[in-house]
Amino acid sequence: MIKDMVPEDIVGDYKETTLELYGIGPRRILYTDIEAPYPDGRLIVSRTDPEGLITHCNKSFVDMSGYTKEELIGVPHSILKHPDIPPVIYKDLWETLKKGNKWQGFIKNLRKDGGYYWVKATVLPNVRNGEVIGYTSVRRKPSRNKIEECITQYPSMF
Amino acid sequence: MPYNFTVSPDFTPDHLSGWYIFNTWLQKALGEAVHLEMYNDFKTQRDAIEAGKVDLIYANPYDASMLVREKGFTALVKPKGESDEATIAVNANNPTKSVEDLEAGVKVAITNDPDVHMMGLIMLEPADLNSANIQLNIRDNYIMVAKDLLRGESDVGIFLAEAFDNLSSVVKNQLRVLVNSQIHVIHHSLMLGPALAAKQEILLQALMDMMEDEKGQGVLKSLGFSGWEPVDQENTEFMIDLMDTLMV
């Protein structure tokens, strides 16, 4: 469902690894040390269905991910998963959502070109008539201090 | 007994007479008596909603959740092409170049407009600022926020973007924008209460037809709108979910 990353799409020197994506299987990841700064004043917004497949995304999502909207709709949100984020963070996210609660945290997202961007993410279940019909995720600009804390702490969480 | 209509207190003062003109149009469209009640502040308006004194409201996005999920309101339309955005500005002489240059203890002038308040505080987060480590100077309106910056009583002002744009050029020239939000998906809506539910189709059609005739266009102009866009239930639910993600 998610294509492997290919060298033709990558900008700059890259490292290679394989990520095991939940419910999908292995994905070849090519990633660089190039950070895309989070644009001031913008919100990155997306929605998924209950299985985590992207159903809606706004222009800021498209711009920051480097994919086209057509490439994003219908694919798992884990297309953005970066190898530097410990799996325990995603586990906490899903456990929180499954309990019906809002999750908030700091995430490094992977771009199509192998680069990355940090976000402060908030995700919450969309409940209609008592049933979860999907999830809304909103990302905003994080403070540099918080990013530095994550850069220090996350490697020890693997 | 006439139905009661009200407008979110964050409307642009220039359009006050426009809402009275719109109310006259509304009575004709519905074939019913409608009383327009303008409240001076959000608290008084919320008390009126709580007391069941509001049947139709031009509501801000912050109140949409409560109106839909607790009071059974339905969003009908939003102003065409419009969204709520916030602007953060400083005195032009202030050396601050970006939000990240601001530090704890900064004095922030703001109104009690709840969605602008929320958007503004989100834009201060990259500097590790929040309501606990800044000094909030609550002012009655955005002109007072601008005056606060000009007098040096506050370091930073948070404005509804539309209100900032409507400041006189003399005032604007003495201010400098640090950041404008580009959220695009948060907006005011005209919402119908349960007592008017049976009139939903008639009113929606009349609102859509407004853009087609000369009188309707005149009414829209007096509100500063180019027209209305229909809002379906899922659009509104989505905006409510979005607002929930943003409330800390």
Side-chain angles (χ1 to χ4, degrees), chain A residues 41 102 126 140-141 143 145, chain B residues 100 125 128 182 244 247:
Chain A
K102 176 159 85 175
N126 305 139
R140 55 223 227 200
K141 188 174 187 178
S143 86
N145 287 338
Chain B
E100 277 90 341
E125 283 179 355
D128 286 317
Q182 298 174 63
D244 283 349
M247 289 176 202

Side-chain angles (χ1 to χ4, degrees), chain B residues 51-126:
Chain B
K53 291 180 184 165
V54 173
D55 303 308
L56 187 70
I57 178 170
Y58 182 67
N60 71 76
Y62 203 87
D63 286 334
S65 176
M66 173 265 292
L67 288 163
V68 169
R69 296 196 175 157
E70 293 170 32
K71 302 292 173 196
F73 277 65
T74 307
L76 267 188
V77 290
K78 68 184 270 292
K80 198 174 180 180
E82 303 278 336
S83 60
D84 288 10
E85 303 290 354
T87 293
I88 295 188
V90 293
N91 188 308
N93 298 324
N94 189 316
T96 302
K97 295 279 178 269
S98 73
V99 164
E100 277 90 341
D101 295 336
L102 299 171
E103 292 181 357
V106 69
K107 287 180 275 181
V108 180
I110 193 166
T111 69
N112 62 1
D113 187 341
D115 53 316
V116 175
H117 203 107
M118 186 187 72
M119 289 188 279
L121 290 185
I122 284 172
M123 288 196 288
L124 293 179
E125 283 179 355

Side-chain angles (χ1 to χ4, degrees), chain B residues 1-215:
Chain B
M1 278 286 283
Y3 291 104
N4 290 308
F5 171 43
T6 189
V7 176
S8 178
D10 56 1
F11 67 89
T12 314
D14 295 350
H15 298 134
L16 175 61
S17 60
W19 285 109
Y20 282 95
I21 296 167
F22 178 75
N23 191 52
T24 305
W25 174 91
L26 194 62
Q27 297 187 73
K28 229 177 214 177
L30 284 173
E32 302 276 359
V34 180
H35 168 67
L36 172 60
E37 181 79 42
M38 300 298 253
Y39 296 96
N40 287 330
D41 57 76
F42 290 93
K43 188 187 175 307
T44 320
Q45 187 176 76
R46 284 203 195 119
D47 290 346
I49 294 166
E50 202 50 51
K53 291 180 184 165
V54 173
D55 303 308
L56 187 70
I57 178 170
Y58 182 67
N60 71 76
Y62 203 87
D63 286 334
S65 176
M66 173 265 292
L67 288 163
V68 169
R69 296 196 175 157
E70 293 170 32
K71 302 292 173 196
F73 277 65
T74 307
L76 267 188
V77 290
K78 68 184 270 292
K80 198 174 180 180
E82 303 278 336
S83 60
D84 288 10
E85 303 290 354
T87 293
I88 295 188
V90 293
N91 188 308
N93 298 324
N94 189 316
T96 302
K97 295 279 178 269
S98 73
V99 164
E100 277 90 341
D101 295 336
L102 299 171
E103 292 181 357
V106 69
K107 287 180 275 181
V108 180
I110 193 166
T111 69
N112 62 1
D113 187 341
D115 53 316
V116 175
H117 203 107
M118 186 187 72
M119 289 188 279
L121 290 185
I122 284 172
M123 288 196 288
L124 293 179
E125 283 179 355
D128 286 317
L129 298 178
N130 55 60
S131 52
N133 65 7
I134 59 178
Q135 182 188 315
L136 279 178
N137 295 330
I138 309 287
R139 301 296 176 236
D140 287 341
N141 55 53
Y142 293 109
I143 293 164
M144 300 301 287
V145 170
K147 279 187 181 164
D148 238 42
L149 296 180
L150 298 183
R151 291 184 191 134
E153 287 170 9
S154 293
D155 307 303
V156 177
I158 299 178
F159 298 82
L160 177 71
E162 187 193 358
F164 185 84
D165 292 341
N166 286 335
L167 293 172
S168 74
S169 53
V170 176
V171 173
K172 264 195 288 191
N173 288 342
Q174 296 176 73
L175 302 175
R176 181 160 42 81
V177 173
L178 290 185
V179 60
N180 278 309
S181 74
Q182 298 174 63
I183 296 175
H184 303 300
V185 282
I186 297 176
H187 54 77
H188 281 53
S189 320
L190 187 65
M191 304 182 98
L192 204 61
L196 274 169
K199 301 274 184 183
Q200 182 170 342
E201 289 305 315
I202 299 169
L203 185 54
L204 181 61
Q205 191 57 54
L207 288 161
M208 291 297 105
D209 292 346
M210 268 184 109
M211 293 172 274
E212 308 302 326
D213 74 75
E214 207 176 311
K215 268 191 187 163

